[in-house]
Amino acid sequence: MQENRNKTGFIFDLDGVIVDTAKYHYLAWKNLADELGIKFNEDDNEKFKGVSRKRCLEILLEMGELSVSEQQFEAWLVEKNEDYLKYIEKMDQTEILPDVEKVLQYLKKRNIPMALGSASKNARLILEKVRLLSYFETIVDGNSVTQAKPDPEVFLMAAAHLNVEASNCIVFEDAVAGIAAANAAEMTSIGIGASSVLSEADHNYNDFTEIDLAFLDKLIINSSIA
Ligand code: B16
Ligand code: MG
């Protein structure tokens, strides 16, 4: 990938950017919370966006003021994930968020290196389900990193895998922690969602339908049409 060196790299978060898996995370966490007698609603689920599975369970148990053995903690992590995977199993291309594939196709046509940078350990499976895996040169996910967002590790690793300079990378993110991670990596951050929430992003859009191709062109250096 030496040829990527002076190019612009694009890095996409998964949940909330490419697909809305937050609703399935919510259902699975809600099932576990009900079982444990912990009150949990969709507002509480906001705190779980972009946050690792382990940290989500820690937050849930703090909400219920429960302290448990390591073994029990691991068992609940497995239980939540098995429940979540039942929803993921049914996913298909119809769940790709509007205009995401249009942007991926455009960048692919321009030979732009693209990576996924997600906290999810299920990222590859989800991309396979919605048939977008082939757009990405590399997948950096919850299995690859040791530090969770807002640490920049996930995005710096993605840039290294693409062999693109970090300062030449553009990151699409829907979580506050993800924007902080992109900014810490000295990348250009694009917030997808409410600008009042993602106020630290360099650019803000509610979703990909608001992003025109001319804006992407301005962000791109040294590309070539495939
Ligand atoms: P998993 P992202 C994140 O995905 C989700 O936003 C977050 O809610 C979830 O807890 C995390 O993945 C871990 O997911 O349980 O599948 O490993 O937004 O970083 O793509
Ligand atoms: Mg996200």
Side-chain angles (χ1 to χ4, degrees):
M1 279 185 239
Q2 184 58 38
E3 69 277 10
N4 285 347
R5 198 75 212 136
N6 296 312
K7 283 188 175 183
T8 306
F10 278 71
I11 307 175
F12 294 78
D13 174 51
L14 180 65
D15 174 32
V17 168
I18 291 179
V19 286
D20 177 20
T21 37
K23 60 190 178 203
Y24 302 132
H25 281 297
Y26 171 67
L27 292 172
W29 284 122
K30 176 77 180 141
N31 283 343
L32 183 64
D34 286 350
E35 186 188 315
L36 305 184
I38 301 172
K39 283 206 182 99
F40 184 75
N41 60 30
E42 295 201 39
D43 284 341
D44 298 318
N45 195 54
E46 285 300 308
K47 291 180 223 140
F48 287 15
K49 289 188 177 173
V51 173
S52 72
R53 192 184 313 163
K54 184 168 169 280
R55 184 64 199 133
C56 290
L57 182 55
E58 284 168 0
I59 297 171
L60 186 71
L61 297 180
E62 282 162 20
M63 287 168 59
E65 297 180 357
L66 290 181
S67 64
V68 297
S69 70
E70 216 171 293
Q71 206 183 4
Q72 181 62 78
F73 188 91
E74 287 304 317
W76 282 336
L77 278 183
V78 170
E79 184 180 326
K80 184 269 168 179
N81 195 51
E82 283 177 354
D83 197 13
Y84 176 66
L85 288 177
K86 286 185 199 145
Y87 299 107
I88 298 308
E89 200 49 48
K90 297 185 194 120
M91 285 184 85
D92 63 20
Q93 281 169 296
T94 61
E95 299 210 34
I96 301 169
L97 289 170
D99 281 0
V100 167
E101 195 159 13
K102 183 178 116 183
V103 168
L104 292 173
Q105 276 169 356
Y106 182 71
L107 296 174
K108 193 80 174 171
K109 208 171 80 185
R110 292 203 54 179
N111 243 335
I112 302 296
M114 287 186 273
L116 192 90
S118 164
S120 175
K121 293 187 172 180
N122 298 301
R124 189 174 284 273
L125 171 70
I126 295 166
L127 287 178
E128 276 169 8
K129 283 280 173 198
V130 299
R131 304 219 188 128
L132 292 180
L133 189 59
S134 62
Y135 283 103
F136 300 97
E137 284 187 26
T138 182
I139 308 294
V140 181
D141 62 14
N143 300 298
S144 334
V145 295
T146 56
Q147 304 297 319
K149 301 168 189 173
D151 189 282
E153 183 186 12
V154 60
F155 296 138
L156 291 174
M157 196 180 280
H161 288 188
L162 292 178
N163 196 22
V164 165
E165 296 284 351
S167 57
N168 289 342
C169 285
I170 315 291
V171 176
F172 293 99
E173 253 293 347
D174 72 309
V176 173
I179 294 294
N183 292 343
E186 301 194 347
M187 298 177 174
T188 299
S189 55
I190 303 184
I192 302 294
S195 57
S196 54
V197 178
L198 304 174
S199 55
E200 296 297 313
D202 295 318
H203 304 271
N204 289 92
Y205 294 98
N206 285 308
D207 57 42
F208 279 78
T209 65
E210 292 181 356
I211 298 180
D212 65 25
L213 300 179
F215 170 70
L216 297 178
D217 287 340
K218 278 191 216 144
L219 296 171
I220 297 169
I221 53 162
N222 290 326
S223 79
S224 59
I225 303 287

